[in-house]
Amino acid sequence: MDNVWKSFHRVDGQPTSKATCNFCKSSVSSRVARLRKHMEVCKSVPGSKSVPDVAPAPDMRVGSFAQRKVSSFVDVITRDQKRTMDYEVGRYIYSTNLPFSHVEHPRFQAFLSKLRPGYKPPTRQTIGSTILDDIYQDVVTKTQESLLRKQVTLMQDGWKARTQDAVISHCLTTGEKAYFLNAVSAGENEKTAEYCVKLLQDAIQLAEDRYNVEVIAVVTDNCNSMRKMRRLLVEEKPDILTYGCHPHLLNLVGKRLTPECLQEKVEKVHKYFRNHDTAAALLKKKNGTRPIMASSIRWNSWIRCFESYLKNQTKFLEVSRMDESRMANEDEIIDILNDRSLYRDVENTIGYLKPIQLALDSVS
């Protein structure tokens, strides 16, 4: 039944088919075309003269059909829309550290096609050139606005990339937020105090020229070459405050107070239960947790390693008794697990490392 009948009801007992308007109570022929015509002129319809929820009746006269363009059936994306979408794809790639080739993966392209059939993502070459340059410049502009005429601290740190190339990086901080400044490959240069102070001076000049800031302090780590570098910098720029990295100092204190003999024994147990499939599976069956391995570059990782050992120690013993045949040649591991003094020593070590851990977590 046509939707127009929502506004009418049939009249019973009439010699011809009639319908009564629900608004003005007029009697109208029950033909749908007449009903529609009445609704167009009925003055009693509240708020509107059109039929509610009813599409206009097509004009059936010859030559009056409204033709829809083919483009109305196609997902058309304007140049500005594509540019905006390309840049969002670029930001997604950069922020997640994905390879640029990700944009050409068939499943990624199929996903985008389901969202917008008319959109074709940029190529890996565009992601790595034009879009990257433009977004970098956009980040620089926003950083300039955030740092304009502020006093900042410059931080310098170095590490080795996966290719074993030495990299020295500089960041700026306002005390509330940190901003990346640059990273320099040392190449064949040795990371001496003289070389690092030159990079530091270049970074100070770059920060002042690019972001219009005032560098009032410099922070580095606490190795001998960095301490010498800070002395050399003060000679050149006596107004700049220089100091070592407090988290690094706390980490060195924690490292000095951690007995190497405990580290060695706990590490052997954890490596065994991590590297032997059967022992690892039995530990999991006993509701033990995966042993945490410490790392010299992860601060506070030794205290977490010791806590993991204490939590699992009874589970380790139970597994060793369940798997005696496999551990028959692991006398050293068995002796460590049965050493009650080791358990107490680990507990005591955690006790005096805990304040250092809390202090380190609060300043990192």
Side-chain angles (χ1 to χ4, degrees):
M1 179 180 293
D2 197 286
N3 283 344
V4 74
W5 278 101
K6 294 179 180 179
S7 302
F8 293 88
H9 63 273
R10 295 184 182 278
V11 179
D12 297 330
Q14 293 289 340
T16 57
S17 180
K18 294 285 186 178
T20 300
C21 176
N22 293 336
F23 302 103
C24 66
K25 308 304 180 184
S26 299
S27 182
V28 185
S29 170
S30 61
R31 293 182 180 179
V32 171
R34 295 290 180 88
L35 299 180
R36 291 184 184 279
K37 187 67 175 176
H38 174 79
M39 291 305 296
E40 291 176 1
V41 299
C42 181
K43 297 181 180 180
S44 299
V45 177
S48 174
K49 296 296 193 305
S50 61
V51 180
D53 300 325
V54 179
D59 189 346
M60 302 302 292
R61 291 174 297 173
V62 176
S64 66
F65 292 102
Q67 295 290 332
R68 295 182 64 184
K69 295 181 179 180
V70 174
S71 60
S72 65
F73 297 93
V74 180
D75 181 23
V76 179
I77 296 179
T78 65
R79 181 177 298 180
D80 288 342
Q81 287 176 328
K82 174 169 172 52
R83 183 176 184 274
T84 300
M85 296 172 73
D86 286 351
Y87 278 59
E88 288 303 318
V89 171
R91 290 186 177 93
Y92 159 69
I93 295 295
Y94 310 142
S95 62
T96 54
N97 201 29
L98 289 169
F100 296 164
S101 59
H102 185 80
V103 295
E104 296 179 356
H105 194 283
R107 298 317 308 166
F108 180 70
Q109 293 189 343
F111 166 68
L112 294 180
S113 178
K114 292 294 183 182
L115 292 177
R116 287 297 299 267
Y119 175 65
K120 183 178 180 180
T123 63
R124 70 176 75 182
Q125 288 80 11
T126 306
I127 286 288
S129 55
T130 308
I131 296 177
L132 179 61
D133 292 340
D134 289 348
I135 291 180
Y136 171 76
Q137 190 56 50
D138 181 56
V139 171
V140 169
T141 301
K142 290 180 179 178
T143 304
Q144 288 172 336
E145 295 171 355
S146 300
L147 292 177
L148 183 63
R149 291 188 292 274
K150 288 187 177 180
Q151 293 181 330
V152 298
T153 297
L154 180 65
M155 300 178 290
Q156 184 187 81
D157 196 11
W159 65 88
K160 284 190 177 181
R162 292 182 179 179
T163 57
Q164 296 303 305
D165 294 327
V167 177
I168 297 177
S169 172
H170 300 92
C171 294
L172 303 173
T173 178
T174 60
E176 297 177 351
K177 187 175 180 180
Y179 300 84
F180 174 78
L181 180 62
N182 71 348
V184 180
S185 175
E188 70 279 4
N189 296 293
E190 187 178 354
K191 292 194 296 183
T192 61
E194 291 75 14
Y195 175 70
C196 290
V197 78
K198 181 181 181 304
L199 293 182
L200 198 58
Q201 291 171 331
D202 292 343
I204 292 173
Q205 191 63 49
L206 174 64
E208 292 175 346
D209 293 343
R210 179 180 292 176
Y211 297 116
N212 194 14
V213 296
E214 180 186 2
V215 179
I216 61 172
V218 169
V219 180
T220 66
D221 61 27
N222 303 283
C223 63
N224 292 333
S225 60
M226 292 298 99
R227 289 201 294 268
K228 181 180 179 182
M229 184 203 70
R230 294 199 296 269
R231 291 195 299 269
L232 293 175
L233 180 65
V234 170
E235 292 175 3
E236 295 288 333
K237 297 179 179 292
D239 294 334
I240 290 183
L241 174 66
T242 63
Y243 55 96
C245 175
H246 294 331
H248 187 222
L249 285 172
L250 287 169
N251 182 61
L252 293 176
V253 172
K255 185 177 181 181
R256 178 67 63 87
L257 294 176
T258 305
E260 293 185 5
C261 60
L262 292 186
Q263 295 178 1
E264 182 180 351
K265 291 179 180 179
V266 170
E267 188 174 53
K268 285 182 178 179
V269 173
H270 280 194
K271 281 185 176 180
Y272 179 84
F273 281 88
R274 183 195 64 178
N275 298 336
H276 290 75
D277 296 340
T278 303
L282 291 174
L283 178 64
K284 184 177 181 180
K285 186 177 181 180
K286 288 290 183 180
N287 296 321
T289 59
R290 182 176 175 82
I292 295 176
M293 303 301 299
S295 171
S296 59
I297 62 173
R298 294 202 310 271
W299 296 344
N300 280 333
S301 62
W302 268 112
I303 192 170
R304 296 186 178 100
C305 176
F306 289 154
E307 289 173 339
S308 173
Y309 176 80
L310 295 184
K311 186 175 182 179
N312 283 324
Q313 198 264 350
T314 56
K315 304 288 193 308
F316 290 154
L317 278 173
E318 291 176 16
V319 170
S320 68
R321 291 161 187 160
M322 294 172 62
D323 197 27
E324 290 181 358
S325 60
R326 292 180 181 271
M327 297 191 68
N329 297 323
E330 302 294 342
D331 293 338
E332 187 178 12
I333 301 297
I334 299 296
D335 290 341
I336 294 173
L337 293 176
N338 286 287
D339 186 356
R340 294 184 179 181
S341 63
L342 174 64
Y343 189 95
R344 289 193 300 271
D345 290 341
V346 172
E347 275 188 321
N348 294 334
T349 301
I350 291 176
Y352 58 72
L353 287 181
K354 202 67 176 178
I356 299 174
Q357 177 195 29
L358 296 175
L360 185 51
D361 288 342
S362 67
V363 298
S364 296

